[in-house]
Amino acid sequence: MRYIKCLVTTGAITILLFACKSSPPYDNKSLHHPLLYSQTVKQLTDVIVHDIFSPPVACRIYAYATIAGYEVMAHSGQQYQSLAGQLHGLPPTPAPSEPAMIDFPLAAMIAMATTGKAMIFSENRLQAAIDSLKAKAVAAGMPGDMLKSTVAYGQQVSAAILGWSKGDQYAQTRAGGKYTVTEEEGRWTPTPPAYMAAIEPHWNELRPFVLDTASEFIAARPPVFNMKDTSSGFYRMVNEIYTIGNTLTEEQINSADFWDCNPYKVNLSGHVSFATKKITPGGHWINICGIAAQNAKADFAKTVCTYAKVAIALSDAFIVCWDEKFRSNLIRPETVINKYMDENWKPHLQTPPFPEYTSGHSVASAAAATVLTQLYGEPFHFRDSSEVEFGLPEREFPSFIAASDDAATSRLYGGIHFRPAVAEGTRQGNLVGQKVITKLKMEQ
């Protein structure tokens, strides 16, 4: 009996020692590093690029995904408060029943990635990111019951945000009719090389996040079409783009290429066509969010806040811009120059498939830069490496506004926008950014 008791005791000690060895103390430093959140957002961006979402749709995905991550952090007891009641139609989001059992940074990443996963096509790619986060938690020694509770809470918040998203009229716009091209002079028509139909003609029907209506910051009217009178404002506007396109400097080309952000560039080689995929304008600014947070050494919560606040501004910026595009329905430089001035002229950049006025890059960039300036101040020197993976060098900026201005004027150099679309688009974007800043109370 004494021998048997000794064996049992020894076995128990062995099991205890093995358990201690296989389950090291929970070290959450790696999981709570803000760079991990940025890397997870980047994985969402990679899927958006792979699945070829248009600029407006991409920003809608970013907005809902990052709001899900933010709402988790808002319930963590830190300095941020929920956006429930501040964003149109957003009800109170679930609070954890046992906060002590939740690792909030991990739950925020799970919520963000799970929401993004539900809104893209290549779900397996984001599922791999989620599985990687879980594996990192196990490797860090997170107790099994905490991991289970944390994942469940992230999924719970994600489900609430996805439920809210269904009321924004996006599904209804999928059933909307295609845009009808008219023969009226000065109106938009499809452009080469693909002559694609206009994308998202019903985008102004979406529920905004903070704006009262899609037309809250309606643009001034563009110049009246007139290519007969060389002294008319319209002719001079067209001639400026024609002249710029024929005398591009190396710096202007670099700017145009850097901010191209065409998610689906059609390339023709003989009888073969193929697409080149890149980040959208919104995706570029989402990447700048990560650069800004890292440069400023922002903590995890502020990093999460940065992405959500900028994504909201970007999404509403595209609603404002698309509302105007299909109101003014203005012809693109390439079309008017080829018809009235030079049939062989080509813009440096490929013309996107939607009307010209106002410039989406200008609206989105100004909105994002306005919010980022409020979050991190000015000046804010940074090197933008967003396009390095697409074979382009970094560009250096003294501030977010300087980067926004560069993005806006790059559309002139690219030959795809007239100056009024850039100037008025920038004004609209500033107003959207200020509205987001004024309306959203995120810090307690």
Side-chain angles (χ1 to χ4, degrees):
M1 289 293 293
R2 185 179 301 169
Y3 176 70
I4 294 174
K5 183 177 181 180
C6 181
L7 280 177
V8 172
T9 304
T10 302
I13 293 172
T14 302
I15 293 172
L16 180 61
L17 289 173
F18 179 79
C20 291
K21 185 176 181 180
S22 62
S23 301
Y26 177 36
D27 180 7
N28 60 21
K29 289 182 181 179
S30 60
L31 277 176
H32 293 186
H33 198 291
L35 184 58
L36 184 57
Y37 191 86
S38 294
Q39 290 170 344
T40 308
V41 174
K42 178 60 169 61
Q43 289 173 300
L44 173 59
T45 293
D46 291 343
V47 179
I48 288 174
V49 171
H50 178 271
D51 288 351
I52 318 176
F53 287 104
S54 69
V57 177
C59 282
R60 177 179 179 267
I61 296 170
Y62 284 125
Y64 284 114
T66 58
I67 289 169
Y70 175 84
E71 284 299 300
V72 169
M73 296 307 297
H75 288 292
S76 69
Q78 296 192 35
Q79 69 269 35
Y80 295 95
Q81 57 183 309
S82 173
L83 293 172
Q86 300 190 67
L87 301 178
H88 293 307
L90 179 60
T93 50
S97 57
E98 296 184 79
M101 292 297 294
I102 305 299
D103 184 290
F104 286 94
L106 177 59
M109 290 183 283
I110 294 293
M112 186 271 293
T114 301
T115 304
K117 175 187 168 185
M119 304 181 81
I120 47 87
F121 303 135
S122 303
E123 296 182 7
N124 60 310
R125 290 174 175 257
L126 272 185
Q127 184 58 53
I130 294 169
D131 292 342
S132 176
L133 289 170
K134 294 178 185 177
K136 283 181 170 64
V138 171
M142 181 181 291
D145 53 351
M146 175 176 280
L147 177 58
K148 183 178 180 180
S149 297
T150 296
V151 171
Y153 180 58
Q155 292 171 338
Q156 183 184 15
V157 173
S158 173
I161 297 301
L162 288 169
W164 167 56
S165 75
K166 296 185 185 303
D168 72 355
Q169 297 297 305
Y170 176 76
Q172 288 82 345
T173 64
R174 302 306 89 191
K178 290 185 177 181
Y179 181 72
T180 302
V181 177
T182 70
E183 297 300 322
E184 184 182 354
E185 276 195 321
R187 300 308 177 194
W188 178 85
T189 58
T191 51
Y195 296 95
M196 295 171 62
I199 66 168
E200 302 300 343
H202 302 281
W203 200 253
N204 66 343
E205 298 170 20
L206 260 69
R207 174 186 64 198
F209 287 92
V210 301
L211 300 179
D212 296 328
T213 66
S215 58
E216 182 171 351
F217 300 124
I218 191 169
R221 295 302 82 212
V224 177
F225 180 84
N226 185 347
M227 287 300 290
K228 294 179 180 179
D229 182 359
T230 57
S231 66
S232 71
F234 191 91
Y235 187 95
R236 286 186 279 111
M237 175 182 78
V238 174
N239 190 57
E240 179 189 28
I241 299 304
Y242 180 64
T243 302
I244 290 174
N246 290 336
T247 59
L248 284 174
T249 66
E250 182 179 357
E251 171 56 22
Q252 289 172 334
I253 291 172
N254 290 341
S255 173
D257 290 343
F258 186 79
W259 295 102
D260 182 19
C261 301
N262 187 342
Y264 190 77
K265 179 185 176 184
V266 177
N267 304 279
L268 298 179
S269 179
H271 297 292
V272 178
S273 65
F274 61 95
T276 301
K277 299 188 288 187
K278 295 176 67 175
I279 53 175
T280 63
H284 192 134
W285 280 96
I286 286 293
N287 200 67
I288 291 175
C289 288
I291 294 171
Q294 188 174 1
N295 285 5
K297 295 181 171 54
D299 62 17
F300 194 96
K302 183 167 184 177
T303 298
V304 172
C305 173
T306 299
Y307 280 108
K309 200 168 190 178
V310 171
I312 290 167
L314 285 168
S315 192
D316 272 5
F318 273 102
I319 291 175
V320 163
C321 182
W322 253 242
D323 176 63
E324 180 54 49
K325 281 187 179 295
F326 290 94
R327 177 186 297 108
S328 54
N329 185 22
L330 193 64
I331 194 170
R332 285 280 182 170
E334 182 173 15
T335 307
V336 68
I337 291 173
N338 286 167
K339 184 174 182 179
Y340 295 95
M341 299 178 73
D342 183 349
E343 64 180 9
N344 296 314
W345 186 87
K346 291 183 179 181
H348 177 70
L349 298 180
Q350 191 169 110
T351 302
F354 36 81
E356 189 271 343
Y357 192 79
T358 52
S359 159
H361 255 61
S362 303
V363 183
S365 296
T370 299
V371 171
L372 283 166
T373 300
Q374 181 263 328
L375 287 168
Y376 294 101
E378 192 176 20
F380 190 97
H381 180 271
F382 68 102
R383 299 183 67 86
D384 186 357
S385 57
S386 301
E387 300 293 331
V388 169
E389 65 179 296
F390 302 105
L392 297 170
E394 296 179 342
R395 281 180 77 80
E396 194 169 353
F397 301 105
S399 68
F400 301 115
I401 299 301
S404 170
D405 289 343
D406 190 48
T409 55
S410 76
R411 313 314 269 173
L412 300 176
Y413 308 146
I416 59 177
H417 275 295
F418 302 117
R419 190 171 294 277
V422 168
E424 193 62 14
T426 298
R427 185 188 73 85
Q428 285 183 304
N430 288 333
L431 290 171
V432 171
Q434 288 297 334
K435 177 87 175 194
V436 170
I437 292 169
T438 301
K439 187 168 182 180
L440 297 186
K441 308 301 179 186
M442 300 174 83
E443 290 191 77
Q444 293 181 343

